């Protein structure tokens, strides 16, 4: 069993050589990590220690990297408790929304219409809870990265909902 420190998202980010290594480590936790506002602030602090932000001449690549780090964490928290094959399909959807129809067909094939509808509701309510946690973060650059990171996930869930409706008639 992993030690508590190994499951702290900020510690994982510090120990990761790059975002891909971070993603791999976070995925290995299967969503079993603390993602409270305090944990988010710690992650943001570690992120800004590695990639200091500037008010002038901002590095767009580093801003987008921050959003990606946030999305990795959020997606894995959302997928906690979903079985492996479906979890991988959802990961694909969250990384490439253009695959929505193929992904939803795969999900329906694996679990059926009712399960996919229930999972959509679970993902949607989970994302709302995470947004409420982000709202607890004091105003500043850390909060900005989390808001930027979560925003497109709402859009992806909307596409998921529309695609489920189209394929199931629900």
């Amino acid at each position: 069993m992993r030690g508590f420190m190994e499951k702290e998202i900020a510690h994982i980010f510090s120990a990761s050589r790059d975002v891909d290594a971070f993603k791999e480590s976070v995925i290995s936790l299967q969503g079993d990590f603390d993602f409270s506002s305090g944990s988010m602030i710690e992650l943001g602090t570690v992120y800004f220690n590695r990639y200091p932000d500037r008010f002038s001449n901002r590095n767009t690549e580093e801003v987008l990297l921050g959003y990606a780090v946030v999305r990795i964490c959020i997606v894995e928290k959302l997928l906690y408790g979903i079985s492996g094959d479906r979890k991988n399909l959802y990961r694909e959807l969250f990384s490439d929304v253009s695959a929505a129809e193929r992904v939803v067909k795969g999900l329906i094939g694996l679990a059926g219409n009712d399960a996919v509808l229930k999972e959509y509701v679970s993902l949607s309510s989970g994302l709302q809870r995470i947004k409420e946690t982000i709202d607890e973060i004091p105003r500043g650059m850390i909060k900005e990265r989390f808001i930027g990171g979560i925003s497109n996930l709402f859009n992806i869930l909307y596409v998921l909902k529309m695609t489920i409706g189209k394929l199931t008639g629900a």
Side-chain angles (χ1 to χ4, degrees):
M1 181 164 164
R2 296 177 195 278
F4 179 72
M5 187 65 149
E6 292 174 9
K7 291 168 83 170
E8 289 181 7
I9 232 50
H11 175 76
I12 292 169
F13 185 78
S14 291
S16 299
R17 68 186 175 286
D18 57 26
V19 174
D20 290 333
F22 174 73
K23 182 176 184 177
E24 187 177 306
S25 294
V26 172
I27 287 172
S28 76
L29 296 175
Q30 297 293 307
D32 183 21
F33 55 87
D34 177 35
F35 207 51
S36 63
S37 59
S39 175
M40 291 176 185
I41 291 168
E42 289 174 19
L43 174 60
T45 301
V46 171
Y47 165 83
F48 282 115
N49 285 339
R50 186 180 289 182
Y51 303 106
D53 201 9
R54 304 169 283 286
F55 287 103
S56 61
N57 299 321
R58 296 184 87 183
N59 184 324
T60 305
E61 188 175 308
E62 289 177 1
V63 171
L64 295 174
L65 184 73
Y67 295 161
V69 166
V70 168
R71 281 192 302 272
I72 289 165
C73 297
I74 293 173
V75 166
E76 290 309 307
K77 282 310 277 186
L78 291 175
L79 298 179
Y80 180 76
I82 293 177
S83 76
D85 289 343
R86 293 193 320 272
K87 191 177 282 196
N88 287 332
L89 284 169
Y90 282 115
R91 283 186 188 118
E92 184 178 347
L93 173 69
F94 283 117
S95 68
D96 180 12
V97 73
S98 70
E101 189 163 331
R102 185 179 50 72
V103 165
V104 172
K105 284 179 180 176
L107 292 167
I108 291 170
L110 289 170
N113 291 353
D114 290 343
V116 173
L117 287 167
K118 286 179 184 174
E119 286 174 350
Y120 164 76
V121 170
S122 175
L123 293 170
S124 183
S125 63
L127 190 59
Q128 185 58 42
R129 282 191 302 277
I130 292 171
K131 184 203 175 293
E132 291 166 2
T133 302
I134 291 170
D135 288 344
E136 297 171 7
I137 298 173
R139 199 178 299 181
M141 296 309 299
I142 292 172
K143 186 171 191 164
E144 184 277 329
R145 289 300 188 276
F146 277 89
I147 290 170
I150 197 173
S151 62
N152 87 317
L153 298 177
F154 282 103
N155 296 334
I156 292 169
L157 282 183
Y158 177 75
V159 171
L160 175 62
K161 178 183 177 185
M162 299 304 294
T163 307
I164 291 170
K166 174 182 169 187
L167 296 176
T168 66

